[in-house]
Each structure stands twice: as structure tokens, then as C-alpha cells.
Amino acid sequence: MNLIEKLPSGLLTVRGWGFVLTAVVALLFAQVLGRRDLLYVGILLLALPLASVVVLRLVKPRFTVGRRFQPQTMEIGSTTTVTLSLTASVAGGASIAMEEQLPARFGQAPRFSYPSRRPTRDGVSLYEYRIRSTSRGVYEIGPVTAEFTDPFGLGRSRHVLGTADPLVVTPAPVELLVSALAGSRGNDGMAATRRQANPSDDDVMTREYRYGDSLRRVHWAATARHSELMVRQEESVTTPQATLLLDQRHHSFSTGLSAVFGGDAAADSALFTSPTFEWAVTAAMSISAHLLERSYALRFLDQQGAPALLHSPSAAFPAEEEHHGQGAVEGIAEGLAALELAPEAGHRTQGHVEHSGSTAVRAGEAARSAVRRVRRGASEVPPKTPHARTPHAAFGDDLLDRLAANRHRGPLIAVLGLITTEDARALASASDYGSPAYAILATDRPAESQPQLAILRDAGWHATAASPSAKLPVVWAGLEHAVGRTSAHASPAAAATSSGRSSRAPVPGGRG
């Protein structure tokens, strides 16, 4: 029995190999003993497994496979329920062993038999299982592999049923404390202006009382002058704006750089990233959700002034830089799911980084193809590879021109890596375009970023450095006081705090 189990099982089952070995023994004894009946038995025992293999190869199974995710996209650390539906075009009573193909990071692949114990009235077999991911990305779920056997259980044939479906795993936002980012705005992010909603030449301050107006808005002087009840004119409300910059250059996050998400790039959707960049992506996701949930109109840019999600294969509308309204948080989360670091000319590292870069390109192409299958009507991503970049300089004139268009219309927040002193000088002048300007430097060694922090703080930035082990809410809470000189947009309390200490003093929670 042990010998039979060691034989190849791709074509025949253990029973089938038993028939073959028995047939060989019968044929040998028929030759030695000259028994014709043993010859007939040997031929029959040999013909049955061969006939089973031929029949299984000729008869192709026809199944309809459907797969649904609930929710459709999942956050890191959460779970999604996969509902798998199988329908055979020709009903049969034999039980078929099936297995759902999953990337290795999701653990053991679920196995089940067809038909299910309780199929629907239409003959559809439904199966459910849950998966959980600790890393973002676009992963191929499926296809289903089925193992068919003949009625005698002698032959075996494996077939692939259906195709794979992409599952988008997005970064999970961290809840941030309500800070002074809004300045004079309220907690809802709105700001009242002096402009009137319905101006007129006769009376630009008041209007006649209308049913439903609050009596607290009655303007008594105008009421006495006009001999009728007058109320103060409605104040208009402006939509708050904010700009978020995300550094995506690989040399800014080069420590620990590798293709970390899986071994096989095509099957496991490996991403070209690093732990520090993952912290930066989580920070960008959290800040975006924090602002959008407070009715901000968010401009999301990269270090060159281009849309931050332009080169993400998972972005539904990669060319958009302005995000607001319903669905904006989900759109940014989906775009950040497969965002990778971008190698640039002159900054390419050697050895494993270059090898990982080519692996990430193949992974990005696989992820892009998967997402396109579920968005046949969505706009196409212009570049062919996720790492294609224009030759414009980082933090150069292109970015400053974009920032100047919305000067002083809201806070400017930059999530950066370990930038150079040249980068810090180029970015320093951008503080004039935000009200105020904040910068978070994500690096494994925050102490090495002190010269860059000093340059940014002297230019008016609220700047701090944080390692991947730092708690984002603590770093966020300490940003308001991470400034080296009194800023025109800083609160009096922040100015008093910053003037009483060195520009290189450690920031609470920021390690820098």
C-alpha cells in the first residue's frame, strides 16, 4: 500500500494504480503459467484505468462560477466575506472535490465539494468563507480548481473553473484628534464670510423678516428705520480647502526597501514599498479622511505637483487631484491600495532594490489588469508602468505653481520621507502658500532629519519627524507646536510655546 501511495497521483487514484499493478502481476503469471484466463483478467484490469483517463480528458466540465465580496473592498486588518456560486451546465450526482486558489498570505485555501449540501432551487451551490489581510494591495482571488474522477474512482483529472477576481485591500485610516488645522473655521470645517448671499442696492445689511427666521437675527435699528421687522442678511459659507502632498520617491524611503507583499509577483501582487512608506501611506489616508469628513475640498498631489494617485493601478480616476463630497474617502483609499514607490533617475540603488523594482513593475501590471476587468467603463491609466515619471524636479516650480493657485485657502500638509537639505530649501518657500503649513518626515532615524527640520521650521513650517513605530495620533497632535519661529498663521499659544524653545527641540510623539 505504501508503494502505491508513492506513485504519481496526477492521472490515477490509489485504486487506479492498484488496478495497474494487479494487471501487471496477472499478465506476468499468465506468461509464466500459460493461463489464458489470467491474460484476460490482466488486460481487463489494465484497460479500465486507461479508459478512465481517456474519458476524463475528452469530457470537459462546464461550470458557471460567480464570486462576490462583501464588502467589495476591505481595509487592512478587517475581514471580507467571499460568496462563491457554482452551477454545472449538466447535472450530475457524483461528488467533486474543489479548491479556491488564494495568495499565500491569506492562509490555507478553502476546500469544498460539489454539489453543496443545500443547493438552491436553481441548482446553484453556494459557499462562503472569510479572508483577512494585514497588507494593502490588489490580490487575485481564484480561480477554482476541481478534481474529477470517473464513476469507478480509477482516474483523476484536474480542471480550472472560471477566472480570478481582484480584491482591493486599502489602508486603514487612523482616527486623529481635532486640532487647530482649521484655524478660524469651526469643527465642521466651514467658514463664514462678510459677503452676503443675496446682496441688493437698497439694503446690503438687512432684509425683511420672513416666516421661519430666528428672532435672534432681528436688526432693531433697521426695523425702526423701515417701520417693519428686518433681520440681518444671511452670511455665505465657503467650502474649506486643504492641500496634501505625499512624497513617493524611493530614495526618501530607501531603508528596508523591498518588494514586501508576496513571493510570486504575478500571483500575490507584490508592491515596491518599505515599512516607512507604509507608515506614510497610512498617514496620508488618515489625514485625507480627517479633512474630507469635515467637509474640506482636498487637493492631493505628489512631490512634483502631479495628482498623487496618477500612477496607482488601483485608482478609479487617477488623473483627479481634487477630492470632495461623498465617496471621496473611498476613492482615495482605493487609489492608495496599490500605490508604490517611484524610482527616479540618479537615485536608483543597487542589488536587491533594482531586482525588487522589476518585480514590482510586473506586479503593478498584474494589479492594473485585474482592476480593469471590474472597471470596464472607467478611465484608463495613462502610463504603461507604475514607475513612469516625468523629468520634473521634486518640490520645483511645477509644484509651487500649483500651490500658488490656492494660496492661503487652507492648510498645506506634506507627508515626506527623509528629504535632503536641498529638498528642504526647495520646499521651504511653499509655507507661504498654506495657512498654515505642516510637514511630517517619516524616517527610521528621526535624529538624522534635524537639519532639514530646522530649515523648514525657520521658513514657517510646523515640521516634525517620526519613525514607523511612532503613534500617528500623537505625531498629529504635536504638529501645531512643531515650529521654529512665530508664524503669521500660528495661534498665540503656539507662538508663545515655539518662542521659548529651540527650533531643534524634540516634538512630543514625533521623535524629532
Side-chain angles (χ1 to χ4, degrees):
M1 190 65 178
N2 292 334
L3 176 61
I4 296 178
E5 293 178 352
K6 293 180 180 180
L7 293 173
S9 59
L11 296 177
L12 298 176
T13 63
V14 174
R15 181 183 300 176
W17 282 113
F19 271 53
V20 171
L21 293 179
T22 305
V24 172
V25 172
L27 292 175
L28 289 176
F29 275 96
Q31 181 69 23
V32 173
L33 301 177
R35 299 290 299 271
R36 183 171 294 183
D37 52 350
L38 289 179
L39 178 63
Y40 294 154
V41 171
I43 294 175
L44 177 62
L45 293 177
L46 188 62
L48 285 176
L50 294 178
S52 300
V53 172
V54 172
V55 170
L56 290 174
R57 288 294 181 271
L58 294 178
V59 178
K60 301 294 183 181
R62 295 181 180 179
F63 280 82
T64 301
V65 181
R67 193 176 289 103
R68 180 170 54 89
F69 304 110
Q70 185 63 34
Q72 185 65 30
T73 60
M74 59 182 289
E75 292 182 352
I76 292 176
S78 63
T79 59
T80 185
T81 301
V82 184
T83 303
L84 187 66
S85 61
L86 289 169
T87 309
S89 57
V90 179
S95 178
I96 304 172
M98 296 188 175
E99 180 178 309
E100 175 86 304
Q101 298 300 308
L102 296 179
R105 68 173 46 258
F106 292 111
Q108 186 177 3
R111 298 178 180 179
F112 46 91
S113 60
Y114 179 89
S116 61
R117 295 181 179 179
R118 296 180 180 178
T120 63
R121 294 181 179 178
D122 300 332
V124 180
S125 293
L126 298 178
Y127 310 89
E128 283 190 358
Y129 63 93
R130 292 180 175 85
I131 54 178
R132 181 177 182 270
S133 177
T134 57
S135 303
R136 63 185 179 91
V138 180
Y139 301 97
E140 296 282 347
I141 305 300
V144 175
T145 58
E147 183 179 281
F148 297 86
T149 59
D150 63 280
F152 299 102
L154 302 178
R156 177 178 292 160
S157 178
R158 291 181 178 270
H159 293 275
V160 177
L161 307 179
T163 59
D165 291 322
L167 173 63
V168 180
V169 181
T170 64
V174 178
E175 185 176 357
L176 303 178
L177 299 176
V178 178
S179 65
L181 283 179
S184 60
R185 304 180 187 273
N187 291 334
D188 58 353
M190 296 299 180
T193 67
R194 294 297 182 182
R195 294 175 298 174
Q196 299 173 24
N198 300 304
S200 64
D201 295 335
D202 296 332
D203 193 348
V204 297
M205 293 294 297
T206 59
R207 61 169 174 81
E208 66 278 3
Y209 175 84
R210 298 173 185 171
Y211 179 78
D213 288 337
S214 174
L215 293 178
R216 286 181 293 182
R217 297 179 53 219
V218 173
H219 194 283
W220 297 110
T223 298
R225 186 168 59 253
H226 291 274
S227 299
E228 63 175 322
L229 200 60
M230 304 292 291
V231 296
R232 291 188 298 274
Q233 188 69 282
E234 293 180 351
E235 294 178 324
S236 64
V237 176
T238 62
T239 300
Q241 298 181 8
T243 302
L244 177 62
L245 303 181
L246 177 59
D247 191 358
Q248 302 174 22
R249 299 169 299 169
H250 83 84
H251 67 273
S252 298
F253 303 92
S254 58
T255 304
L257 190 63
S258 62
V260 297
F261 289 153
D264 185 359
D268 212 16
S269 185
L271 292 181
F272 190 46
T273 183
S274 69
T276 308
F277 185 63
E278 290 304 302
W279 192 93
V281 169
T282 301
M285 181 70 252
S286 304
I287 295 171
S288 300
H290 181 79
L291 295 174
L292 290 171
E293 290 172 355
R294 286 160 178 78
S295 304
Y296 275 81
L298 180 65
R299 299 177 70 217
F300 195 14
L301 306 175
D302 66 4
Q303 71 281 351
Q304 297 173 344
L309 304 178
L310 181 62
H311 303 280
S312 172
S314 61
F317 303 100
E320 287 190 357
E321 66 176 48
E322 295 186 3
H323 306 268
H324 56 84
Q326 295 182 351
V329 176
E330 290 78 6
I332 291 181
E334 194 171 347
L336 289 174
L339 186 66
E340 303 177 83
L341 290 172
E344 291 182 338
H347 293 284
R348 191 179 295 272
T349 57
Q350 302 296 325
H352 71 281
V353 174
E354 293 186 354
H355 172 73
S356 300
S358 62
T359 301
V361 171
R362 296 194 303 270
E365 287 296 335
R368 194 188 309 276
S369 300
V371 174
R372 283 175 178 171
R373 287 202 299 269
V374 295
R375 292 200 193 97
R376 300 189 181 278
S379 59
E380 295 292 335
V381 182
K384 292 185 178 181
T385 64
H387 299 305
R389 285 293 188 266
T390 55
H392 302 293
F395 312 121
D397 293 338
D398 292 340
L399 173 61
L400 296 181
D401 290 342
R402 291 293 186 92
L403 298 179
N406 285 355
R407 185 171 187 174
H408 290 169
R409 294 186 182 180
L412 169 62
I413 309 167
V415 180
L416 314 170
L418 183 59
I419 60 176
T420 64
T421 53
E422 290 77 11
D423 292 335
R425 294 190 184 99
L427 189 61
S429 60
S431 64
D432 295 334
Y433 303 129
S435 55
Y438 299 88
I440 302 176
L441 277 62
T443 172
D444 285 329
R445 295 180 290 273
E448 296 181 0
S449 62
Q450 292 303 317
Q452 293 83 353
L453 289 177
I455 294 174
L456 294 176
R457 290 171 178 172
D458 290 342
W461 285 82
H462 299 257
T464 187
S467 68
S469 60
K471 301 296 184 181
L472 180 58
V474 179
V475 177
W476 176 261
L479 266 178
E480 181 64 22
H481 306 296
V483 64
R485 65 174 177 84
T486 303
S487 174
H489 308 290
S491 63
T497 303
S498 62
S499 62
R501 64 179 181 182
S502 172
S503 62
R504 300 194 182 190
V507 178
R511 297 191 178 186

